[in-house]
Every structure is written in structure tokens, then in C-alpha cells.
Amino acid sequence: MHIVNVTCGIAAAMALACAASQPLSAETFAERVAPCLACHGEKGQSENPEVPSLGGQQAPYVLIQLFMFREKQRSSLIKKEDQMIEIMNEMTKAFTDDDLRTFSDYIAKLPAPKPVEDAADAARIAKGNTLAQQHRCAFCHGTDFSGRETVPRIAAQREDFLVKSLREYKDNTRKGYEATMAEVVQALADPDIVDLAYYIARFR
């Protein structure tokens, strides 16, 4: 993906956020958002493997991601009946600009996900914390990892999704809209990725 195309995509998506919105009726919106909640969690916390929790996510970030899915600048493949389907591209292909705003605003108001509740391995938590500090995760994502504007919330995100995303950034199969993440993860060995995800998923 060419950087210029992605940059134009960001500008276009952010312009949408500033435009007037025509809200969907409550009944229509409930029907349209139901498939989203079925995968990503009705109360903001995903229970499906490698599917991100979206509760409390930054609305501008969600808007950009939905725009990128609609414009096929980003894809999210799932396997269904021995076929790979670009599920998010299919879900968003008919979205209007107003839909993008409505859905992103709704998602941002869902409750933030809760961290993993288990007897955490103190050594792995310490290792993850050290890695987060070394690679300055808080510089972009905030000291509480709640994100800001176009930077996503990662606190208490699904551990398997975090591992998947970091690996995809490292092997360049996940395209972001700027190169920071790809640059950061290049210095991470795979065990580091696993420990960092373990820590962030349990961050409180």
C-alpha cells in the first residue's frame, strides 16, 4: 500500500468526522449493529478468538478503520466453509459516510473491556512492563493505554488479538496508516511479542 494513498484515506476519514450526520432510526441501527456486536461483544468485550474488543475505543480511530475497510485499504480475513472471506470489507462496503460516523460514535460509548482475571505470572508481567517502557508504548497509547484520537485503546485488549496484530505488523501483513508500529515491532523477538501482549491484556 502506498503511503500517499493511506494518508489521503486518513484525511478523507477525518473530514467525515467534521461533517453533519443524519442518524439512523433506533430500530434500523439496532438491526445493523447486531452483527458487529455478535462478533466484537455486545458489551464491548469480545469472546471470540482473535476478534478485538471494541468497547471504549477512540471514535476517530474507529472511524478511520471503518473507512479503510470500506475503501479496501485494510482487510480482515476469516475462514468460512473452506473459503477466506474479507469479512470487514463485506460488512462496510455499503456504509455511507453517515454510517461510518454513527457506528464509530456508538462503539466509542460501549464499556471498555476488563482485563484478564487470572493468577498472573509476575515474571511475565514484569517482562511485559519492561518491554512497554523500552519501546515507549505509552508515548502514543498513553500511560493507561487508553489511546487518544487516532491512536487505539489497547488496555485489556484480547491477548490473542494483540499477539496476532503485533506479528502482522512485524511481517508487514497488516497495513497501518503510518509506519510507527512496523518500526517498533521490528526490534521485538516473538517471545517478546507474546510477553508484551500478556502484560497489556492484564493491564489495570
Side-chain angles (χ1 to χ4, degrees), residues 1 3 14 23 28 31-33 45 59 68 77 82 90 107-108 111 136-138 141 144-145 157 177 179 190-192:
M1 181 185 304
I3 295 297
M14 293 308 291
T28 301
E31 292 173 353
R32 293 186 65 185
V33 80
Q45 187 148 7
M68 291 175 71
L77 294 170
D82 296 324
E90 285 297 312
I107 287 168
R136 303 180 69 194
C137 299
H141 294 280
D144 59 355
F145 299 132
Q157 184 54 268
Y177 44 83
D190 199 65
D192 294 336

Side-chain angles (χ1 to χ4, degrees), residues 23-86:
L24 295 166
S25 70
E27 182 178 351
T28 301
F29 181 74
E31 292 173 353
R32 293 186 65 185
V33 80
C36 307
L37 301 181
C39 284
H40 291 282
E42 182 178 357
K43 296 183 179 179
Q45 187 148 7
S46 168
E47 297 181 2
N48 293 316
E50 297 188 346
V51 174
S53 299
L54 297 182
Q57 194 56 270
Q58 300 292 325
Y61 173 77
V62 177
L63 178 65
I64 291 171
Q65 300 310 305
L66 291 176
F67 177 85
M68 291 175 71
F69 280 125
R70 187 186 72 177
E71 302 302 311
K72 297 185 177 180
Q73 295 180 353
R74 183 182 169 192
S75 64
S76 180
L77 294 170
I78 65 166
K79 189 173 184 179
K80 184 177 181 181
E81 298 178 355
D82 296 324
Q83 291 185 335
M84 298 304 291
I85 300 174
E86 294 182 334

